Amino acid sequence: MSEVLVMAGRSVRLSLRAGDALITALALPIMMMLLFVYFFGGAIETGGPYVQHVVPGVLVLCAAYGAGTTAMSVANDMAEAVMDRLRSLDVSATALLGGHVAASVVRNLAATVLVFAVAFAIGFRPVASPGDWLLAAALIAAFVTAMSWLAAAIGLLARTPEAASGYAFVFAFLPYPSSAFVPVETMPGWLQAFAAGQPLTQVIDSMRALLLDRPVTVLGAAFVWCVALGLAGVAAAAALYRLRVKRA
Amino acid sequence: MTVVAEGLSKAYGRHTVLDHLDLTVPSGAIYALLGPNGAGKTTTVRLLATLLRPDSGRASVAGFDVVDARSEVRRRISLTGQHAALDEQQTGEENLRMVARLTGLSRAAARERAGQLLERFALTDAAGRRVKTYSGGMRRRLDLAAGLVGEPEVMFLDEPTTGLDPRSRQAVWEEVARLASAGVTIFLTTQYLEEADRLADRIALLHRGRLVAEGTAAELKHRVAGERLELTLADADAYEHAELMLGGRIVRRDPARSTLEVATDGSGAHVRELLDALDPGRTLVERFAVRSSTLDDVFLEVTADV
Ligand SMILES: Nc1ncnc2c1ncn2[C@@H]1O[C@H](COP(=O)(O)OP(=O)(O)O)[C@@H](O)[C@H]1O
Ligand SMILES: [Mg+2]
C-alpha cells in the first residue's frame, strides 16, 4: 500500500511540474465551458440558462482530456530507463499503474473543483441536498477512476507517448455524441440511439438530475457503467502490462 | 560464486542475441563484460537483473534463481542502466528519497539515507535542484547513488562511464573500487578495454552474443603473444615481400598503415636476428617498435575468426 502512495506522490509531483501541460489541462475545459456558454449556448434550447445545463458535460469532457494526460504519462514511463530501475526495485505492477491512476484521479478532481468554481462565477446555481451532492461527488469520482484505468491501459497499448495521446483522443470526442452539450433528441436518428445509450449520457444525466433537483432515473445504470468500465480498464491494463514486460 | 550463468540464451525473433552464455563471478569481485555495441551486454545484464526471461539456460544471483526467485534476487541487487534512470522533473533528493521509500525505508529513514548518499557523491549542493539541470557527470553520480540506496550485495552497472568526461570517469572508477573493497560484487559492462583492464578482476569478452574469452587481464594477454614487434614497411612492395617472408608468424597486419606485427620475446638478439633475416639490405623496414600486448590485441585475435 505504501508503495502505491509513493508512486502516486511521484506522479502528482511530476504532473505539478509539467508546466505548460498542466496549465493547458486545467485551462482547456474552462475555455470549452466559456465557449459553449457564451458562443453556442444561446442557440441551444435546454429549457433554462445554458450554464445550468452544461456543467456536467464539461466535467465529463474534463475527465476525457485528463485521460490523455494519464495515458501519456504511463507510456512515458514504459519507454524510459526509469522503468528498469523501478522493476529492479521490485515495485509491483499494481503500484506502478495504481500510482498513475491515483494521481490521475487527484488531477481530475482538482480540475472538477476548478470547473465548479468558474461555473459558479458565471451563474451556475445548483439545487441539491447534501445527500445529492455526496452522490454526485461519488459518481464523478467513480467515473474519473474508471477513465483513468482505461487511460492506463491505453498508455500500455501505445508504443510511444505520442501514440498514447492520439489513442486517448477518442475519449475527448465521446462527450459530443452524448447529452453533454445538446439535447439528444436534436441529433439525427441513427446517432440518437448511440448518444442515448452510451455511458457518458447516463453519467451526465445523473449528475444533472442530482445537481438540479430533477428526478433521478439512471443513477444505477451510471454507476454500473463506471464499475464495468473501471474493471475492464484494470483487466486490460494488467494483461497489457504482463505482455509488455514479457516482451521487453 | 555470486553470479552464475549456464547456457543462457536469448533471441528476438530469429535474431539470436545471446548464445549459450556461461559465466561465474566470485563474491566481491569486479567482473567486466567487455564488448562492442550490439554484442549483447545490456541483454545479459537485464537477464541477470531479472528484467528479462531467458529463452533457455539458467542463472542465479546471490544464490537465487533469476526466474524462479525473482523477488529474492531483486532484494539483493541494484541495477544502474546504460541510460540514467531518473525523473528529470524531480530533484536529486526527491529521486533518492523515492527509491529509498520503495526499498521499504520509513519516511525519516529515507530522508537520512538520501542525505548520506548525496554527501558521499558530492551532490549536497545540487540536492534541491531538478535533475534536468544536472550535467552528465552529476546524473551518473546520482544514478549510482540511487543504485546504492538499498545496500545491494551485487551491483550491475551497464556501461557506467560511456559518454563521461575523463574526470567523471575517474570518479566512477574510484567509487567502483571503493564498493568492491567494501565487499560488494560488481558486474559491469564496458566498451573500453582500458576500463576493463584497470578496474576488473576478471574480464569476459562478448562478441555477437558469445563469450569468446574469459579470465584475468593478465591471463587474457598471455593468450596472445606477450610482446610484439611492430614493423612499419617502406612501401607496398616491401609490405608484400615481408608478409610473404614472415607468413604464419604474423600476429596482426594493417595494410593501410603498412605495418605488420610478429611475436617476440623483446630481447635485442631476437629483434636483430629477425630484422637481419627479413631485411638484409636494410631498405624494407622503415621503423620498428616493441610493445606489450594489450586487451585490444586479445580482442582482435579472438574475434578474428568468429
Ligand atoms: N527488444 C529487442 N528487440 C529486438 N532486438 C533487440 C532488443 N533488444 C536488443 N536487441 C538486439 O540485441 C542485440 C544486442 O543488444 P544489446 O544487448 O543492447 O547490446 P549491447 O548492450 O552490447 O550494445 C542488438 O543487435 C540489438 O539490436
Ligand atoms: Mg548496451
Side-chain angles (χ1 to χ4, degrees), chain A residues 33-114:
Chain A
M33 178 161 69
L34 299 177
L35 190 75
F36 270 99
V37 169
Y38 291 119
F39 292 150
F40 305 141
I44 304 170
E45 188 46 60
T46 57
Y50 188 66
V51 66
Q52 293 290 81
H53 178 80
V54 84
V55 168
V58 172
L59 292 179
V60 165
L61 187 69
C62 206
Y65 281 124
T69 309
T70 305
M72 217 153 86
S73 42
V74 169
N76 237 329
D77 264 8
M78 293 305 290
E80 287 194 9
V82 74
M83 196 62 194
D84 273 0
R85 159 141 308 134
L86 294 172
R87 284 183 59 214
S88 76
L89 286 166
D90 215 14
V91 177
S92 65
T94 316
L96 278 172
L97 299 174
H100 279 293
V101 168
S104 166
V105 171
V106 169
R107 272 198 306 267
N108 276 296
L109 292 183
T112 300
V113 170
L114 191 66

Side-chain angles (χ1 to χ4, degrees), chain A residues 247-248, chain B residues 12 15 17 35-44 82 158-159:
Chain A
R247 256 202 278 159
Chain B
Y12 288 106
H15 175 40
V17 176
N37 241 334
K41 301 183 297 295
T42 298
T43 306
T44 308
Q82 192 167 350
D158 193 10
E159 299 199 25

Side-chain angles (χ1 to χ4, degrees), chain A residues 2-3 6-7 10 13-14 17 77 80-82 84-91 245-248, chain B residues 12 46 51-52 71 74 79-80 83-85 87 89-91 94 98-99 101-103 130 143 146-147:
Chain A
S2 74
E3 229 180 40
V6 172
M7 293 307 292
R10 162 183 182 255
R13 209 174 302 132
L14 291 181
R17 292 183 188 165
D77 264 8
E80 287 194 9
V82 74
D84 273 0
R85 159 141 308 134
L86 294 172
R87 284 183 59 214
S88 76
L89 286 166
D90 215 14
V91 177
V245 162
K246 205 180 278 174
R247 256 202 278 159
Chain B
Y12 288 106
R46 297 187 81 232
L51 299 181
L52 273 184
S71 290
R74 288 180 179 178
L79 169 67
T80 301
H83 307 287
D87 283 326
Q89 296 289 357
Q90 293 204 80
T91 68
E94 284 165 347
M98 177 181 83
V99 172
R101 295 279 284 141
L102 291 173
T103 61
R130 294 191 198 177
D143 212 25

